């Protein structure tokens, strides 16, 4: 009994320490980043460098080599590439769009890293219950019009699959740590992250890993296939649904083939393999259809070669990638900002990890935006895809029902 009692108080004290540590960092007003790790979460702060990327300095950033010395766990740059920056990097130009002047990419050099092995806990004393109203930039009628146009592109052979992006927006000054802690508790995802800086914040529950590189080994985990959770849909039933659904299978096969092709450009011949094929992962409001692809890099492959081969991630664009990007960019009238860009880190030794920025909130100039997209293939239904977009955004929209700061 005494042992159990001691363990209880130890756990309670550890929880209080986490609450205080997180609160102290947040209340300091200094920028920081939290990233989901295998054991919990890693928090990075005390940034000695902040590099705001553009179409010119990105080459220097990706090509810079760092001297090998005694390694530290802060020998890395962590941050994000926006969608427009990644398009420009591979020679795809974006016509003039509605833009809020948010940076195209930012990376930070941390001098401090704190690892948390338990769930993050933060008490926000300024919470009240409030339902925020969101405006959508593409209503069902307009979505159907764009959908039908893209379906003609598919039938004419210009693309095989394409993702229509819709945005939900609301005016709100938010507390990103409060949002992220509640989101992680309700809908923890393997690529979850948050950034809090002086003039913006990002909160993400992204489930999709685009690049994990360790030494010469590289992997990618494409997601293509979504079904809504309900009392009659469990993990086994979801797998049966995906296997029997022609549209979901076509979509998944096309995306997996494209990412295998992307990896093959930078990997040794015959090393790109599917190590997990068509498994189901469970999240708060939905199930996803997932595969895992692995390969071994060719000699002399540089960071910029990897980024250009793999980004933007094909599962959130469509395929074939370049022609589909051109179709999307001509159609979309508003900048995607961070959406379908990539967040992660590049270590000084060349190892890297990047997820695709989906299921995310960007708060900039007190406007919160949530962008989502669903895939159009020849068998798709405009009504179903429009509804799927809302399912993907729901866990993030729900956060605004309980908070104003």
């Amino acid at each position: 009994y005494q042992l159990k009692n001691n363990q209880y108080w130890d756990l309670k004290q550890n929880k209080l320490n986490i609450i205080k540590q997180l609160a102290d960092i947040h209340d300091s007003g200094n920028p920081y980043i939290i990233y989901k790790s295998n054991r919990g979460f890693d928090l990075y702060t005390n940034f000695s460098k902040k590099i705001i990327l553009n179409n010119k300095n990105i080459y220097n950033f990706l090509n810079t080599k760092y001297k090998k010395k005694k390694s530290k766990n802060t020998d890395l740059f962590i941050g994000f590439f926006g969608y427009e920056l990644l398009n420009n990097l591979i020679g795809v130009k974006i016509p003039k769009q509605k833009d809020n002047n948010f940076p195209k990419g930012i990376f930070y050099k941390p001098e401090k890293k704190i690892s948390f092995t338990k769930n993050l806990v933060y008490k926000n004393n300024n919470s009240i219950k409030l339902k925020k109203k969101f405006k959508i930039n593409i209503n069902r009628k307009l979505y159907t019009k764009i959908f039908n146009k893209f379906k003609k592109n598919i039938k004419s052979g210009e693309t095989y699959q394409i993702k229509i992006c819709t945005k939900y927006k609301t005016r709100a000054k938010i507390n990103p740590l409060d949002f992220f802690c509640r989101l992680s508790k309700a809908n923890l995802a393997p690529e979850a992250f948050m950034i809090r800086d002086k003039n913006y914040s990002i909160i993400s529950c992204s489930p999709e890993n685009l690049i994990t590189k360790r030494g010469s080994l590289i992997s990618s985990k494409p997601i293509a296939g979504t079904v809504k959770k309900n009392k009659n849909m469990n993990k086994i039933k979801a797998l049966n649904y995906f296997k029997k659904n022609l549209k979901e299978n076509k979509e998944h096969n096309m995306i997996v083939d494209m990412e295998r092709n992307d990896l093959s450009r930078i990997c040794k011949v015959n090393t790109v393999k599917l190590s997990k094929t068509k498994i189901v992962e469970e999240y708060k409001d939905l199930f996803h259809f997932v595969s895992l692809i692995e390969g071994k890099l060719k000699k002399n492959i540089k960071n910029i070669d990897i980024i250009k081969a793999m980004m933007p991630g094909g599962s959130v664009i469509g395929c074939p990638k370049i022609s589909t990007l051109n179709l999307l960019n001509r159609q979309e009238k508003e900048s995607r900002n961070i959406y379908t860009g990539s967040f992660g880190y590049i270590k000084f030794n060349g190892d890297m990890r990047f997820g695709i920025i989906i299921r995310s909130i960007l708060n900039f100039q007190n406007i919160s935006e949530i962008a989502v997209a669903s895939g159009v293939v020849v068998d798709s239904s405009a009504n179903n895809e429009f509804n799927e977009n809302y399912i993907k955004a729901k866990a993030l929209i729900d956060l605004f029902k309980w908070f104003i700061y």
Side-chain angles (χ1 to χ4, degrees), residues 313-376:
S315 65
V316 288
I317 301 300
C319 62
K321 188 187 287 186
I322 301 299
S323 62
T324 304
L325 283 169
N326 284 320
L327 287 170
L328 281 173
N329 295 339
R330 287 197 294 269
Q331 176 61 51
E332 293 181 355
K333 308 304 179 189
E334 186 175 347
S335 169
R336 289 192 173 200
N337 285 324
I338 61 169
Y339 181 65
T340 59
S342 284
F343 168 88
Y345 58 71
I346 301 174
K347 292 185 175 182
F348 287 6
N349 67 1
D351 288 354
M352 65 177 74
R353 172 189 168 196
F354 281 95
I356 300 179
I357 303 178
I358 53 176
R359 316 294 151 78
S360 303
I361 301 168
L362 168 64
N363 187 269
F364 180 58
Q365 298 173 338
N366 289 336
I367 300 291
S368 289
E369 65 177 49
I370 301 165
V372 287
S374 54
V376 181

Side-chain angles (χ1 to χ4, degrees), residues 82-96:
Y83 173 79
E84 182 181 324
L85 195 67
L86 294 174
N87 273 259
N88 277 284
L89 194 63
I90 57 173
V92 176
K93 301 302 177 186
I94 297 181
K96 191 172 182 180

Side-chain angles (χ1 to χ4, degrees), residues 129-285:
K129 189 172 181 179
L130 179 73
K131 188 171 182 179
K132 298 290 289 184
K133 289 186 177 180
F134 279 79
K135 291 182 179 179
I136 189 169
N137 69 333
I138 301 174
N139 60 25
R140 194 179 293 269
K141 185 177 179 181
L142 180 56
Y143 183 94
T144 303
K145 184 178 178 181
I146 297 168
F147 178 95
N148 291 334
K149 184 177 178 180
F150 281 154
K151 220 162 186 190
K152 289 180 181 177
N153 295 132
I154 292 170
K155 288 177 179 178
S156 67
E158 295 172 78
T159 182
Y160 304 111
Q161 180 196 40
I162 192 164
K163 305 269 183 159
I164 303 174
C165 173
T166 55
K167 277 187 181 183
Y168 297 84
K169 289 184 182 180
T170 190
R171 180 169 288 279
K173 184 180 179 182
I174 69 172
N175 182 319
L177 183 58
D178 172 76
F179 269 48
F180 186 69
C181 289
R182 288 191 290 122
L183 184 61
S184 295
K185 186 177 180 181
N187 192 38
L188 187 59
E191 291 297 321
F193 74 91
M194 70 156 282
I195 303 175
R196 199 284 295 273
D197 206 336
K198 302 285 186 184
N199 64 338
Y200 80 95
S201 59
I202 301 172
I203 304 102
S204 174
C205 59
S206 173
E208 186 161 0
N209 176 261
L210 180 62
I211 299 170
T212 298
K213 176 190 175 288
R214 295 187 186 94
S216 63
L217 300 179
I218 188 168
S219 66
S220 185
K221 194 179 80 171
I223 293 174
T226 303
V227 64
K228 185 178 179 180
K229 279 177 78 173
N230 57 49
K231 61 183 180 180
N232 298 317
M233 182 66 74
N234 58 29
K235 206 169 181 179
I236 295 170
K237 288 181 179 178
L239 181 61
N240 288 333
Y241 164 81
F242 285 130
K243 284 183 174 179
K244 292 176 182 178
N245 188 294
L246 183 63
K247 181 259 178 188
E248 298 287 3
N249 264 286
K250 277 185 179 179
E251 183 179 339
H252 194 90
N253 291 341
M254 281 190 280
I255 294 303
V256 168
D257 283 346
M258 183 173 61
E259 292 205 5
R260 285 170 71 181
N261 183 62
D262 288 346
L263 277 170
S264 295
R265 292 163 58 194
I266 52 174
C267 287
K268 292 181 178 178
V269 177
N270 296 327
T271 66
V272 177
K273 309 286 183 185
L274 267 168
S275 53
K276 290 182 182 177
T277 308
K278 295 182 178 179
I279 62 172
V280 171
E281 289 186 348
E282 181 177 357
Y283 296 92
K284 180 176 179 284
D285 296 303

